[in-house]
Amino acid sequence: MTGEGTVRLRPPNNTLNERAVAWWRSQCLLTTAVPVTVLAVLGAFIGPARTWLWITAGALAVLGLAGTAFFPSWWYRVHRWEVTEEAVYVRTGALWQEWRIAPMSRIQTVDTVRGPLEQLFRLATVTVTTASAKGAIRIEGLDHEVAAALAEQLTRITQATPGDAT
């Protein structure tokens, strides 16, 4: 603490699990593959529009593959998270960086989620819900065991933290 009621937080120290890069790449590939496939199939059946549908599918495929190769590595470099006795905070975003800070006294729930792709990569997402109008804080791309331990740690700290009377 510095001064009365002011908390100074350094940039979050913890990185995500390295497998998050492959998880994000898989998400990008799936997101690209679905519309590319639809356009290619439509092009096969709609003769008059075939050329434009296939050109569009090809352009979308090139853009999707370029994004898949570039963005997940970048996201991994900029996403950070940290938990202290006072707060949980995350930094996300590549171009528009966002810091989200949740004081322990404001945390309402802590959830761990593992979707099918996350399970495949042995990853999980921890969601910290507060009364904030901005919504929950999500820490994605954590090893599933780290996520379970983090949820347990946050639950323990918040139970020991008096609620905020404001």
Side-chain angles (χ1 to χ4, degrees):
M1 289 252 202
T2 61
E4 179 131 359
T6 303
V7 177
R8 283 259 190 226
L9 297 175
R10 61 178 160 47
N13 198 31
N14 300 316
T15 61
L16 305 179
N17 188 282
E18 299 87 15
R19 292 187 306 270
V21 174
W23 173 56
W24 283 325
R25 283 201 171 115
S26 297
Q27 288 177 314
C28 289
L29 286 174
L30 286 172
T31 301
T32 299
V34 171
V36 166
T37 303
V38 168
L39 289 169
V41 169
L42 286 173
F45 290 109
I46 304 173
R50 178 171 294 135
T51 302
W52 291 109
L53 287 168
W54 283 353
I55 288 172
T56 304
L60 188 58
V62 168
L63 289 172
L65 290 173
T68 297
F70 176 72
F71 284 111
S73 298
W74 189 9
W75 295 334
Y76 177 76
R77 285 193 300 274
V78 298
H79 282 62
R80 297 285 182 270
W81 64 278
E82 183 100 24
V83 172
T84 67
E85 292 297 317
E86 294 85 25
V88 56
Y89 57 112
V90 296
R91 183 186 71 198
T92 59
L95 296 175
W96 287 269
Q97 285 196 349
E98 178 180 34
W99 282 55
R100 299 283 313 276
I101 302 167
M104 290 298 173
S105 62
R106 303 296 299 215
I107 293 176
Q108 295 176 335
T109 62
V110 178
D111 301 303
T112 304
V113 177
R114 297 183 70 207
L117 266 180
E118 283 178 301
Q119 290 178 45
L120 182 67
F121 287 97
R122 299 183 331 271
L123 298 172
T125 297
V126 172
T127 303
V128 178
T129 306
T130 68
S132 168
K134 198 72 164 132
I137 291 178
R138 294 171 48 88
I139 307 171
E140 298 179 328
L142 296 175
D143 178 85
H144 67 97
E145 292 176 356
V146 170
L150 177 59
E152 183 179 319
Q153 176 190 9
L154 288 171
T155 301
R156 192 173 50 254
I157 292 171
T158 54
Q159 284 177 342
T161 303
D164 192 351
T166 57

